[in-house]
Amino acid sequence: MSATKSKKLGLTSKILLGMFSGIILGLLLRNLFPESEFIKDYITEGFLNVIGTIFISSLKMLVVPLVFVSLVCGTCSLSEPSKLGRLGGKTIAFYLFTTAIALSMAILIAIAVHPGHATLVTESMHFDAKQAPSLADVIINIVPTNPLQAMSEGNMLQIIIFAVIFGFAISHIGERGKRVAALFTDLNEVIMRVVTLIMQLAPYGVFALMAKLALTLGMETFGSVVQYFFVVLGVLLIHAFIVYPTLLKVFSGLSPFTFIRKIRDVQLFAFSTASSNATLPVTIETAEHRMGVDNKIASFTLPLGATINMDGTAIMQGVATVFIAQVFGIDLTITDYAMVVVTATLASIGTAGVPGVGLIMLAMVLNQVGLPVEGIALIIGVDRLLDMVRTAVNVTGDTVATVVIAKSENEFNEEIFNDTQAGKVAPGFNAQVHAEEK
């Protein structure tokens, strides 16, 4: 009987079980052995770190080949340059639109709640902000001088540009191009199969990641910025479960409840890995086989979204700007807030390929409105947890945009979207999950 129940346990349930088991184990070890060097060296930084790091590395391993092969496949079928340009324009416009909404909402709620207090300022606050590249440098660096180097370094914008050009060329060389396109289609199926295999390890990887987090991040970390934490968290949840579903309903007419039910696996992966890129294989598989989005749309909009769509980060920036201004007793004008919205929205594209992009963008926004960058030191302690939620919000936005754009381009299968068993016969881990649930 127990074996039958175990078989019926779906992937989402397994991941949730691993997540909560990891948190419970981490908290128990933290409270029972608070100063144990053995726990720190052999459990936290040993066993759990190894398992969690291997899991994230296995996901990241797929990102470059998946994005390149999938995007080449999608671009091959878009033989009309006007259609490719229209698709790119729609995608970027939608991402910038949702980012502007996220920033505006974050600023208004932060002003209303007023989480910052001047007593938090200390002389010891210090934050070394890395300099973000100029917009001109970003535009120049979009085109790769060495595509193989871009792939080895994981430079997503350069990979996207090269894949689009490569796929477009394949679609314009006749019969030879069709043979190459067929090869890439087969490669795409192979990569999806690898995704299936790696997903079987997901509950164990999530268990290790959450256990390590619970061991290293105690409640005292929140300190005096607990109100800031919950303001950001609240706005993130509003954006993910109210704003996005509303936009989905308005622009596509599809059921927000069906979407939320089908996106939960992607959200859980994004939360546990805190990386849109690491979650990308899961996002693409879900969009195609559970949402009903055609590959030619998903392979373009999702990698682009993982690179430039930063609604979660934008929300953090909006609240953090207001919070730091309140802590330092600096009054910002309506013009300042408008500048924050414009700067951060445009910067979501301009700093896409920079490591630590969230804090770099925040430093740039603070400088723009004359706020001390040192204030970032106040929020670093809780940023790890918020980063996990921000990533879940970002991938939700990527998928909403993909569904909306696919619907507008008539590249969307609504029967698959409305089918609760969608993905059962399709390649990928969801096929196995639904087969088990049945």
Coordinates of all heavy atoms in Angstrom, one line a residue, residues 299-365:
S299 N 11.2 29.2 -27.1 CA 12.7 29.1 -27.2 C 13.3 30.5 -27.4 O 14.5 30.7 -27.2 CB 13.1 28.2 -28.4 OG 12.7 28.8 -29.6
F300 N 12.4 31.5 -27.7 CA 12.9 32.9 -27.9 C 12.6 33.7 -26.7 O 13.5 34.4 -26.1 CB 12.2 33.5 -29.1 CG 12.7 34.9 -29.4 CD1 13.8 35.2 -30.1 CD2 11.9 36.0 -28.9 CE1 14.2 36.5 -30.3 CE2 12.3 37.3 -29.1 CZ 13.5 37.6 -29.8
T301 N 11.3 33.7 -26.2 CA 10.9 34.6 -25.1 C 11.5 34.2 -23.7 O 11.8 35.1 -22.9 CB 9.4 34.6 -25.0 OG1 8.9 33.3 -24.8 CG2 8.8 35.2 -26.3
L302 N 11.6 32.9 -23.5 CA 12.1 32.5 -22.1 C 13.5 32.7 -21.9 O 13.9 33.3 -20.8 CB 11.7 31.0 -21.9 CG 10.2 30.8 -21.7 CD1 9.9 29.3 -21.7 CD2 9.7 31.5 -20.4
P303 N 14.4 32.4 -22.8 CA 15.9 32.7 -22.6 C 16.1 34.2 -22.5 O 16.9 34.7 -21.7 CB 16.6 32.2 -23.8 CG 15.7 31.0 -24.3 CD 14.3 31.5 -24.0
L304 N 15.3 35.0 -23.3 CA 15.4 36.4 -23.3 C 14.9 37.0 -21.9 O 15.5 37.9 -21.3 CB 14.6 37.1 -24.4 CG 14.8 38.6 -24.6 CD1 16.2 38.9 -25.0 CD2 13.8 39.1 -25.7
G305 N 13.8 36.4 -21.5 CA 13.3 36.8 -20.2 C 14.2 36.5 -19.0 O 14.3 37.3 -18.1
A306 N 14.8 35.3 -19.1 CA 15.8 34.9 -18.0 C 17.0 35.9 -18.0 O 17.6 36.0 -17.0 CB 16.3 33.5 -18.2
T307 N 17.2 36.6 -19.1 CA 18.3 37.5 -19.2 C 17.9 38.9 -18.8 O 18.7 39.6 -18.1 CB 18.9 37.5 -20.6 OG1 19.2 36.2 -21.0 CG2 20.2 38.3 -20.7
I308 N 16.8 39.4 -19.3 CA 16.4 40.8 -19.1 C 15.2 41.1 -18.2 O 15.0 42.2 -17.8 CB 16.2 41.5 -20.4 CG1 14.9 41.1 -21.1 CG2 17.4 41.3 -21.4 CD1 14.5 41.8 -22.3
N309 N 14.4 40.1 -17.9 CA 13.2 40.3 -17.1 C 13.5 40.3 -15.6 O 13.8 39.2 -15.1 CB 12.1 39.4 -17.5 CG 10.8 39.6 -16.7 OD1 10.5 40.8 -16.5 ND2 10.2 38.6 -16.3
M310 N 13.4 41.4 -14.9 CA 13.8 41.4 -13.5 C 12.8 42.1 -12.7 O 13.1 43.0 -11.9 CB 15.2 42.1 -13.4 CG 16.3 41.4 -14.1 SD 17.9 42.2 -13.9 CE 18.9 41.2 -14.9
D311 N 11.6 41.7 -12.8 CA 10.5 42.3 -12.0 C 10.7 42.1 -10.5 O 10.5 43.1 -9.7 CB 9.2 41.7 -12.4 CG 8.7 42.1 -13.7 OD1 9.4 42.9 -14.4 OD2 7.6 41.8 -14.1
G312 N 11.2 40.9 -10.1 CA 11.5 40.7 -8.7 C 12.6 41.6 -8.2 O 12.4 42.2 -7.1
T313 N 13.6 41.8 -8.9 CA 14.7 42.7 -8.6 C 14.2 44.1 -8.6 O 14.6 44.9 -7.7 CB 15.9 42.5 -9.6 OG1 16.3 41.2 -9.6 CG2 17.1 43.4 -9.2
A314 N 13.4 44.5 -9.5 CA 12.8 45.8 -9.6 C 12.0 46.2 -8.3 O 12.1 47.3 -7.8 CB 11.9 46.0 -10.8
I315 N 11.3 45.2 -7.8 CA 10.5 45.4 -6.6 C 11.4 45.6 -5.4 O 11.2 46.6 -4.6 CB 9.6 44.2 -6.3 CG1 8.4 44.2 -7.3 CG2 9.1 44.2 -4.9 CD1 7.6 42.9 -7.3
M316 N 12.5 44.8 -5.3 CA 13.5 45.1 -4.3 C 14.1 46.5 -4.4 O 14.3 47.2 -3.4 CB 14.6 44.0 -4.4 CG 15.7 44.1 -3.4 SD 17.1 45.2 -3.9 CE 17.9 44.2 -5.1
Q317 N 14.4 46.9 -5.6 CA 15.0 48.2 -5.8 C 14.1 49.3 -5.4 O 14.5 50.3 -4.7 CB 15.4 48.4 -7.2 CG 16.6 47.5 -7.7 CD 16.7 47.5 -9.2 OE1 15.9 48.1 -9.9 NE2 17.8 46.8 -9.6
G318 N 12.8 49.2 -5.7 CA 11.8 50.2 -5.4 C 11.7 50.4 -3.9 O 11.8 51.5 -3.3
V319 N 11.5 49.2 -3.2 CA 11.3 49.3 -1.7 C 12.6 49.7 -1.1 O 12.6 50.5 -0.1 CB 10.9 47.9 -1.2 CG1 10.8 47.9 0.3 CG2 9.5 47.5 -1.8
A320 N 13.8 49.2 -1.5 CA 15.1 49.5 -0.9 C 15.4 51.0 -1.1 O 15.9 51.6 -0.1 CB 16.2 48.7 -1.6
T321 N 15.1 51.6 -2.2 CA 15.3 53.0 -2.4 C 14.6 53.9 -1.4 O 15.1 54.8 -0.8 CB 14.9 53.4 -3.8 OG1 15.7 52.7 -4.8 CG2 15.2 54.9 -4.1
V322 N 13.3 53.6 -1.2 CA 12.4 54.3 -0.3 C 13.0 54.0 1.1 O 13.1 54.9 2.0 CB 11.0 53.9 -0.4 CG1 10.1 54.5 0.7 CG2 10.4 54.2 -1.8
F323 N 13.3 52.8 1.5 CA 13.8 52.4 2.8 C 15.1 53.1 3.1 O 15.2 53.7 4.2 CB 14.0 50.9 2.8 CG 14.6 50.3 4.0 CD1 13.9 50.2 5.2 CD2 16.0 49.9 4.0 CE1 14.5 49.7 6.4 CE2 16.6 49.4 5.2 CZ 15.8 49.3 6.4
I324 N 16.0 53.1 2.2 CA 17.3 53.8 2.5 C 17.1 55.3 2.6 O 17.8 56.0 3.5 CB 18.3 53.4 1.4 CG1 18.7 51.9 1.5 CG2 19.6 54.3 1.5 CD1 19.5 51.4 0.4
A325 N 16.3 55.9 1.8 CA 16.0 57.3 1.9 C 15.4 57.6 3.3 O 15.8 58.7 3.9 CB 15.0 57.7 0.8
Q326 N 14.5 56.8 3.8 CA 13.9 57.0 5.1 C 14.9 56.8 6.2 O 14.9 57.6 7.2 CB 12.7 56.1 5.3 CG 11.5 56.4 4.3 CD 10.5 55.2 4.3 OE1 10.7 54.2 4.9 NE2 9.3 55.5 3.7
V327 N 15.8 55.8 6.1 CA 16.8 55.6 7.1 C 17.7 56.8 7.2 O 18.1 57.2 8.3 CB 17.6 54.3 6.8 CG1 18.8 54.2 7.6 CG2 16.7 53.1 7.0
F328 N 18.1 57.4 6.1 CA 19.0 58.5 6.1 C 18.3 59.9 6.2 O 19.0 60.9 6.2 CB 19.9 58.5 4.9 CG 21.0 57.4 5.0 CD1 20.8 56.1 4.5 CD2 22.3 57.7 5.6 CE1 21.8 55.2 4.6 CE2 23.3 56.7 5.6 CZ 23.0 55.5 5.1
G329 N 17.0 59.8 6.4 CA 16.3 61.1 6.5 C 16.3 62.0 5.3 O 16.3 63.2 5.4
I330 N 16.3 61.4 4.1 CA 16.4 62.1 2.9 C 15.0 62.1 2.2 O 14.5 61.0 2.0 CB 17.5 61.6 1.9 CG1 18.8 61.7 2.6 CG2 17.5 62.3 0.6 CD1 19.9 61.0 1.8
D331 N 14.5 63.2 1.9 CA 13.2 63.3 1.2 C 13.4 63.3 -0.3 O 14.1 64.1 -0.8 CB 12.4 64.6 1.6 CG 12.0 64.6 3.1 OD1 11.7 63.5 3.6 OD2 12.0 65.7 3.7
L332 N 12.7 62.3 -0.9 CA 12.8 62.2 -2.4 C 11.5 62.9 -3.0 O 10.4 62.7 -2.5 CB 12.9 60.8 -2.8 CG 14.1 60.0 -2.4 CD1 14.1 58.6 -2.9 CD2 15.4 60.7 -2.9
T333 N 11.7 63.6 -4.1 CA 10.6 64.2 -4.8 C 9.9 63.2 -5.7 O 10.4 62.1 -6.0 CB 11.1 65.4 -5.6 OG1 11.9 65.0 -6.6 CG2 11.8 66.4 -4.7
I334 N 8.8 63.7 -6.3 CA 8.1 62.8 -7.3 C 9.0 62.6 -8.5 O 9.0 61.6 -9.1 CB 6.7 63.5 -7.7 CG1 5.8 63.6 -6.5 CG2 6.1 62.8 -8.9 CD1 4.5 64.2 -6.8
T335 N 9.7 63.7 -8.8 CA 10.7 63.6 -10.0 C 11.7 62.5 -9.7 O 12.1 61.7 -10.6 CB 11.4 64.9 -10.2 OG1 10.4 65.9 -10.5 CG2 12.3 64.8 -11.4
D336 N 12.2 62.4 -8.4 CA 13.2 61.4 -8.1 C 12.7 60.0 -8.2 O 13.3 59.1 -8.8 CB 13.7 61.6 -6.6 CG 14.5 62.9 -6.4 OD1 15.2 63.3 -7.4 OD2 14.5 63.5 -5.4
Y337 N 11.4 59.8 -7.7 CA 10.8 58.5 -7.8 C 10.6 58.1 -9.3 O 10.7 57.0 -9.7 CB 9.5 58.5 -7.1 CG 9.7 58.5 -5.6 CD1 9.1 59.4 -4.8 CD2 10.4 57.5 -5.0 CE1 9.2 59.4 -3.4 CE2 10.6 57.5 -3.6 CZ 10.0 58.4 -2.8 OH 10.2 58.4 -1.4
A338 N 10.2 59.1 -10.1 CA 10.0 58.9 -11.6 C 11.3 58.4 -12.2 O 11.3 57.5 -13.0 CB 9.4 60.1 -12.2
M339 N 12.4 59.1 -11.7 CA 13.7 58.8 -12.3 C 14.1 57.3 -11.9 O 14.8 56.6 -12.6 CB 14.7 59.8 -11.8 CG 16.1 59.7 -12.5 SD 17.2 61.0 -12.0 CE 16.3 62.4 -12.7
V340 N 13.7 56.9 -10.7 CA 14.0 55.6 -10.2 C 13.3 54.6 -11.1 O 13.9 53.6 -11.5 CB 13.6 55.4 -8.7 CG1 13.6 53.9 -8.3 CG2 14.4 56.2 -7.8
V341 N 12.0 54.8 -11.4 CA 11.3 53.9 -12.3 C 11.9 53.8 -13.6 O 12.1 52.7 -14.2 CB 9.8 54.4 -12.4 CG1 9.1 53.5 -13.4 CG2 9.1 54.3 -11.0
V342 N 12.2 54.9 -14.2 CA 12.8 55.0 -15.6 C 14.2 54.3 -15.6 O 14.5 53.4 -16.5 CB 12.9 56.4 -16.2 CG1 13.6 56.4 -17.5 CG2 11.5 57.0 -16.3
T343 N 15.0 54.7 -14.7 CA 16.4 54.2 -14.6 C 16.4 52.7 -14.4 O 17.1 51.9 -15.1 CB 17.2 54.9 -13.5 OG1 17.2 56.3 -13.7 CG2 18.7 54.4 -13.5
A344 N 15.7 52.2 -13.4 CA 15.7 50.8 -13.1 C 15.1 49.9 -14.2 O 15.5 48.8 -14.5 CB 15.0 50.5 -11.8
T345 N 14.0 50.5 -14.8 CA 13.4 49.7 -15.9 C 14.3 49.5 -17.1 O 14.5 48.4 -17.6 CB 12.1 50.5 -16.4 OG1 11.2 50.6 -15.3 CG2 11.4 49.7 -17.5
L346 N 15.0 50.6 -17.5 CA 15.9 50.5 -18.6 C 17.2 49.7 -18.2 O 17.7 49.0 -19.0 CB 16.4 51.9 -19.1 CG 15.2 52.8 -19.7 CD1 15.8 54.1 -20.0 CD2 14.6 52.1 -20.9
A347 N 17.6 49.8 -16.9 CA 18.8 49.1 -16.5 C 18.5 47.6 -16.5 O 19.5 46.8 -16.5 CB 19.2 49.5 -15.1
S348 N 17.2 47.1 -16.4 CA 17.0 45.7 -16.4 C 17.5 45.0 -17.7 O 17.8 43.8 -17.7 CB 15.5 45.5 -16.3 OG 14.8 45.9 -17.4
I349 N 17.6 45.8 -18.8 CA 18.3 45.3 -20.0 C 19.8 45.6 -20.0 O 20.6 44.8 -20.3 CB 17.6 46.0 -21.2 CG1 16.2 45.5 -21.4 CG2 18.4 45.6 -22.5 CD1 15.5 46.1 -22.6
G350 N 20.1 46.8 -19.5 CA 21.5 47.3 -19.6 C 22.5 46.5 -18.8 O 23.7 46.4 -19.2
T351 N 22.1 45.9 -17.7 CA 23.0 45.2 -16.8 C 22.7 43.7 -16.7 O 23.1 43.1 -15.8 CB 23.0 45.8 -15.4 OG1 21.6 45.8 -14.9 CG2 23.5 47.2 -15.4
A352 N 22.1 43.2 -17.8 CA 21.6 41.8 -17.8 C 22.7 40.8 -17.5 O 22.5 39.8 -16.8 CB 20.9 41.5 -19.1
G353 N 23.9 41.0 -18.1 CA 24.9 40.0 -18.0 C 25.9 40.2 -16.9 O 27.0 39.5 -16.9
V354 N 25.7 41.1 -15.9 CA 26.6 41.4 -14.9 C 26.4 40.5 -13.6 O 25.2 40.4 -13.2 CB 26.5 42.9 -14.5 CG1 27.6 43.2 -13.5 CG2 26.7 43.7 -15.7
P355 N 27.4 39.8 -13.1 CA 27.2 39.1 -11.8 C 26.8 40.0 -10.7 O 27.2 41.1 -10.6 CB 28.6 38.5 -11.6 CG 29.3 38.5 -12.9 CD 28.8 39.7 -13.6
G356 N 25.9 39.5 -9.8 CA 25.4 40.3 -8.7 C 24.6 41.4 -9.2 O 24.6 42.5 -8.6
V357 N 23.8 41.2 -10.2 CA 23.1 42.3 -10.9 C 22.2 43.1 -10.1 O 22.0 44.3 -10.2 CB 22.4 41.7 -12.2 CG1 21.3 40.8 -11.8 CG2 21.8 42.8 -13.0
G358 N 21.5 42.4 -9.1 CA 20.5 43.1 -8.3 C 21.1 44.3 -7.5 O 20.6 45.4 -7.5
L359 N 22.2 44.0 -6.8 CA 22.9 45.0 -5.9 C 23.6 46.1 -6.8 O 23.6 47.2 -6.4 CB 23.8 44.4 -5.0 CG 23.2 43.4 -3.9 CD1 24.2 42.9 -3.0 CD2 22.1 44.2 -3.1
I360 N 24.1 45.6 -8.0 CA 24.7 46.6 -8.9 C 23.7 47.6 -9.4 O 23.9 48.8 -9.4 CB 25.4 45.9 -10.0 CG1 26.6 45.1 -9.5 CG2 25.9 46.9 -11.1 CD1 27.3 44.2 -10.5
M361 N 22.6 47.1 -9.8 CA 21.5 47.9 -10.3 C 21.0 48.9 -9.2 O 20.7 50.0 -9.4 CB 20.3 47.1 -10.8 CG 20.7 46.4 -12.2 SD 19.4 45.2 -12.6 CE 18.0 46.3 -12.8
L362 N 20.9 48.3 -8.0 CA 20.4 49.2 -6.9 C 21.4 50.3 -6.6 O 21.0 51.4 -6.3 CB 20.3 48.3 -5.6 CG 19.8 49.1 -4.3 CD1 18.5 49.8 -4.6 CD2 19.7 48.1 -3.2
A363 N 22.7 50.0 -6.6 CA 23.8 51.0 -6.4 C 23.6 52.1 -7.5 O 23.8 53.3 -7.2 CB 25.1 50.4 -6.4
M364 N 23.4 51.7 -8.7 CA 23.2 52.6 -9.8 C 22.0 53.5 -9.6 O 22.1 54.7 -9.8 CB 23.1 51.9 -11.1 CG 23.0 52.8 -12.4 SD 23.1 51.8 -13.9 CE 21.8 50.7 -13.7
V365 N 20.9 52.9 -9.1 CA 19.7 53.7 -8.9 C 19.9 54.7 -7.7 O 19.5 55.8 -7.8 CB 18.5 52.7 -8.6 CG1 17.3 53.5 -8.1 CG2 18.1 51.9 -9.8

